[in-house]
């Protein structure tokens, strides 16, 4: 069955430090992968997506993610974290039925990021 | 981000009330979704509409009734809800179901 695992429930980093949030997926076909961010009480904002091509994808707000097929991973990174990055981050995989006519997003449980001054 | 709007942003209702949540997308998309987000559970997909046709009903209780009159508007009609239905209800849209989704800000629902 398709699934997404975010092994870290909560991460705290210091402002200015680098960040890596982990995501592993289970999906038989070539995955379409996403990272979303959610501030408290808000909806989800798309940070970046991977459909095909270059395995290192750039997103908004200085985030990037690398698709590694051999490790079934799609980790999110940022070289220098800002206090405004404190939020919850969700990894997701788009699953499609046979023929690709119907797709659904499968979300991980999220990683909450706290930023220390 | 104003591509997907939701009203109201907050709603408090009693268990015998009937209310509706509204979602509107201004992105020209053909797929629309309702999700439920509770404090201790991951995002739960409730309903999917693609080109105004309901394509997914994820075992949602009948006290939740969706309506999609056109590709830009999506409603969630609520009646005789339970306290455990209190959650953040998120609407999303996509070009169709094979593309990324864009989310609205959500409606925070409290059932008393």
């Amino acid at each position: 069955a398709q699934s997404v695992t975010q092994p870290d429930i909560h991460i705290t980093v210091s402002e200015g430090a680098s960040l890596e949030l982990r995501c592993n997926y289970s999906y038989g076909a070539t995955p379409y992968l996403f990272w979303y961010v959610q501030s408290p009480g808000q909806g989800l904002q798309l940070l970046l997506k991977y459909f095909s091509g270059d395995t290192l994808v750039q997103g908004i707000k200085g985030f990037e993610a690398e698709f590694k097929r051999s490790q079934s991973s799609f980790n999110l990174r940022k070289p220098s974290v800002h206090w405004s990055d404190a939020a919850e981050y969700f990894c997701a995989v788009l699953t499609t039925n046979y023929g690709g006519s119907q797709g659904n997003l499968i979300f991980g449980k999220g990683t909450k990021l706290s930023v220390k001054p | 981000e104003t591509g997907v709007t939701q009203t109201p942003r907050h709603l408090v209702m009693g268990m015998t009330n009937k209310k509706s949540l509204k979602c509107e997308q201004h992105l020209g998309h053909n797929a629309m979704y309702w999700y439920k987000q509770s404090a201790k559970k991951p995002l739960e997909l409730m309903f999917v509409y693609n080109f105004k046709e309901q394509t997914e009903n994820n075992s949602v209780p009948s006290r939740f009734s969706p309506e999609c009159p056109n590709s830009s508007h999506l409603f969630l009609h609520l009646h005789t809800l339970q306290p455990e239905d209190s959650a953040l209800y998120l609407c999303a849209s996509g070009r169709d179901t094979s593309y990324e989704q864009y989310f609205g800000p959500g409606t925070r629902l409290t059932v008393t």
Side-chain angles (χ1 to χ4, degrees):
Chain A
Q2 304 93 346
S3 65
V4 175
T5 302
Q6 293 180 247
D8 303 306
I9 297 173
H10 190 183
I11 284 182
T12 300
V13 300
S14 297
E15 191 168 16
S18 64
L19 171 70
E20 183 168 31
L21 301 182
R22 296 183 290 164
C23 172
N24 293 96
Y25 67 89
S26 171
Y27 186 56
T30 300
Y32 293 172
L33 295 159
F34 308 86
W35 275 100
Y36 286 86
V37 61
Q38 185 180 32
S39 297
Q42 299 297 314
L44 279 69
Q45 182 181 22
L46 180 66
L47 280 177
L48 47 78
K49 61 187 178 186
Y50 171 77
F51 276 18
S52 65
D54 193 346
T55 56
L56 183 65
V57 292
Q58 303 297 320
I60 61 172
K61 304 186 180 189
F63 285 92
E64 66 178 27
E66 186 170 13
F67 170 59
K68 292 185 177 179
R69 184 186 298 275
S70 62
Q71 298 176 19
S72 297
S73 69
F74 188 57
N75 293 349
L76 181 72
R77 302 194 293 246
K78 186 169 185 177
S80 177
V81 169
H82 188 262
W83 64 266
S84 60
D85 293 324
E88 191 153 19
Y89 291 80
F90 294 90
C91 181
V93 62
L94 181 68
T95 67
T96 55
N97 64 356
Y98 184 75
S101 62
Q102 176 65 36
N104 286 323
L105 277 181
I106 306 294
F107 285 90
K109 293 184 178 180
T111 298
K112 184 175 180 182
L113 173 66
S114 297
V115 180
K116 290 189 301 188
Chain B
E1 181 68 50
T2 57
V4 181
T5 58
Q6 290 186 244
T7 53
R9 292 295 308 277
H10 301 271
L11 178 62
V12 179
M13 59 186 289
M15 289 191 283
T16 58
N17 290 160
K18 288 185 180 181
K19 296 284 184 184
S20 295
L21 309 185
K22 179 182 176 183
C23 175
E24 185 173 1
Q25 59 95 1
H26 311 273
L27 301 169
H29 289 164
N30 295 303
M32 296 189 78
Y33 307 79
W34 280 117
Y35 287 88
K36 176 184 179 182
Q37 188 177 35
S38 306
K40 299 201 168 140
K41 289 186 178 180
L43 274 161
E44 299 174 69
L45 177 65
M46 300 175 73
F47 301 104
V48 180
Y49 279 82
N50 199 22
F51 294 90
K52 299 188 296 178
E53 297 297 319
Q54 185 175 313
T55 58
E56 183 103 13
N57 175 340
N58 212 16
S59 302
V60 180
S62 59
R63 57 187 185 268
F64 296 91
S65 174
E67 178 189 1
C68 187
N70 54 62
S71 293
S72 299
H73 294 87
L74 184 65
F75 295 89
L76 188 63
H77 304 300
L78 316 170
H79 64 97
T80 59
L81 294 191
Q82 305 299 311
E84 61 264 29
D85 297 321
S86 299
L88 182 68
Y89 288 84
L90 292 164
C91 174
S93 72
R95 197 185 311 178
D96 65 36
T97 59
S98 300
Y99 291 86
E100 65 271 21
Q101 296 172 24
Y102 294 86
F103 285 79
T107 294
R108 172 65 63 186
L109 174 66
T110 303
V111 181
T112 61

